[in-house]
Each structure stands twice: as structure tokens, then as C-alpha cells.
Amino acid sequence: MAILSVAAIKGGVGKTTLSVNIAIALALKGKTVWLIDADHQASASQALANRAGAEVEPSIATAHYVDKDQLKAQLRLMSPKFDYVVIDCGGGDGPILRTALVHSDIVLVPFQPRSIDVWALAGIAQNISEIQDVKALQAFAVLNMADVAGKDNKEAADAVADFPNLKFLDTPIRRRKVFANALGEGLSVLEHEPADSKARAELADLVNAVFHI
């Protein structure tokens, strides 16, 4: 069993989109998955409610917790029942984010190739460092909503070197309309039709890089 938090202090970096896509990708590999929506906006919960309403298989267990004590208690009680737990952390620093990180085995930090996103890595890197001082926590950074072309992707990726406790994954998820379309239907891009082969390959590469499966 492994617990993954998809986390960033800055909002708007695509945490929910990645969380839902990763959870479904793992389920499509035959794993039991629990997605915890720890964001007040509850977008992941809505996406998976749409999935359940359309009776799409595999089904994904989900819960919405925005209280740190409830999140802590439910993780201890329920997480051993699943192969993987994916936590969609809301934007901003606070008790719910720190609770998620403390109970995680892996944290994935998405960021866009923009200066403001790169600057925001400092805060989450510090949070992660404090937790790594007391427990093992793998930490990865990945470009999300990356540009299809241009030099901004490389410049942003190079900036991650300023945060040595974050391992940069060279598996960018590019800005593709299919990610938004699929999420609205409670689907992963691996399921959405018509298929976008580039989006599918990008997601598969990311999941393989994080979980080595």
C-alpha cells in the first residue's frame, strides 16, 4: 500500500486533474484505489460522482475530507484496505496539507512553466523538507499544463535544481484540451474517446515514473 499526495501551495496548477487521472490509471492496472478529495472546492468528488452516475468501470472509491483530524483518522482506518491512496490536496498551506504529507509515502508537486509557479515551489519544498527530517517521503516535481513547444519548459525544469529535495520527473503533461474534457466526464485520458495518443502516453509515462509499474 502506498499513499500519494498531489500537492502544491499555489492553486491552479492542475492538482485535481492529475489526481483523478492517476487514480483511474492505477485502477485500470487492476489496483484498488481510494481517492481522497482534500480540497474545499470538491472538484475531484464531483468528477468521480459523474463517473459513478455513468456507471463507468472500474469504479473509484472516494471521500471528501477538509478537516485534519478526520483525514488523519480515516487514513489510519481505511488506507490499509487499498493498494493505493491518492490525496488531492487543496491549494495553500495549512493543517490539511501538512496532515496529508505526514501520512504520505510519496508527494507529487505539479507546476506550470511560469515564473510565479516556480517561485511557489519554495514553500512546498520547505514543508516537504520538514517532514523528510522525521520520516521517509519521496518527493517529485512534474511540469503540468506544459507548453507544447518553446524554451519555457526547460527553464522551469532547470529551476527545480534549486530545491534538491524535489526530484524532477522528465515526464511533462502538456496543455491538452482532452484533460479537461475527460475530467468533466469523470474519465481519465486513458479512457476518453476519441483517444488522444499523446496525452495517453504522457500520463502513462508519469504513472510509471512515480510508481515504477
Side-chain angles (χ1 to χ4, degrees):
M1 187 272 295
I3 299 175
L4 166 74
S5 281
V6 181
I9 290 177
K10 184 181 181 299
V13 295
K15 295 182 295 294
T16 296
T17 299
L18 282 187
S19 297
V20 172
N21 271 276
I22 289 170
I24 295 173
L26 292 169
L28 289 169
K29 290 179 179 289
K31 308 300 182 181
T32 56
V33 184
W34 184 28
L35 189 147
I36 297 177
D37 186 343
D39 188 339
H40 284 278
Q41 295 183 30
S43 299
S45 296
Q46 183 59 61
L48 293 182
N50 293 346
R51 182 184 185 86
E55 299 182 348
V56 177
E57 295 291 341
S59 58
I60 309 293
T62 187
H64 184 216
Y65 303 125
V66 290
D67 175 84
K68 69 179 182 64
D69 294 326
Q70 187 180 32
L71 175 62
K72 181 191 304 183
Q74 292 301 317
L75 278 170
R76 289 176 175 171
L77 177 66
M78 297 295 294
S79 59
K81 303 178 185 291
F82 297 89
D83 297 322
Y84 292 97
V85 178
V86 178
I87 306 176
D88 176 22
C89 299
D93 193 1
I96 195 76
L97 171 64
R98 294 172 184 268
T99 299
L101 293 179
V102 164
H103 289 84
S104 293
D105 305 294
I106 309 167
V107 56
L108 180 66
V109 181
F111 68 105
Q112 294 189 61
R114 305 290 177 260
S115 295
I116 193 168
D117 281 46
V118 174
W119 299 336
L121 289 176
I124 191 69
Q126 179 60 38
N127 284 351
I128 292 168
S129 179
E130 292 170 2
I131 293 166
Q132 289 173 327
D133 286 341
V134 296
K135 64 162 284 184
L137 176 62
Q138 295 184 76
F140 301 113
V142 66
L143 277 170
N144 194 33
M145 295 183 278
D147 298 334
V148 174
K151 65 178 183 178
D152 288 353
N153 289 347
K154 184 179 186 306
E155 291 178 353
D158 289 345
V160 178
D162 292 337
F163 311 102
N165 64 324
L166 295 179
K167 178 181 178 181
F168 177 71
L169 297 179
D170 190 15
T171 54
I173 302 293
R174 292 176 173 82
R175 189 181 297 274
R176 302 187 190 281
K177 188 175 180 180
V178 66
F179 281 98
N181 291 344
L183 185 68
E185 300 175 32
L187 301 176
S188 161
V189 295
L190 301 174
E191 305 165 299
H192 188 270
E193 296 292 345
D196 184 320
S197 60
K198 291 180 179 179
R200 290 186 176 194
E202 289 171 2
L203 178 60
D205 287 346
L206 175 60
V207 172
N208 291 337
V210 173
F211 298 105
H212 307 293
I213 57 173

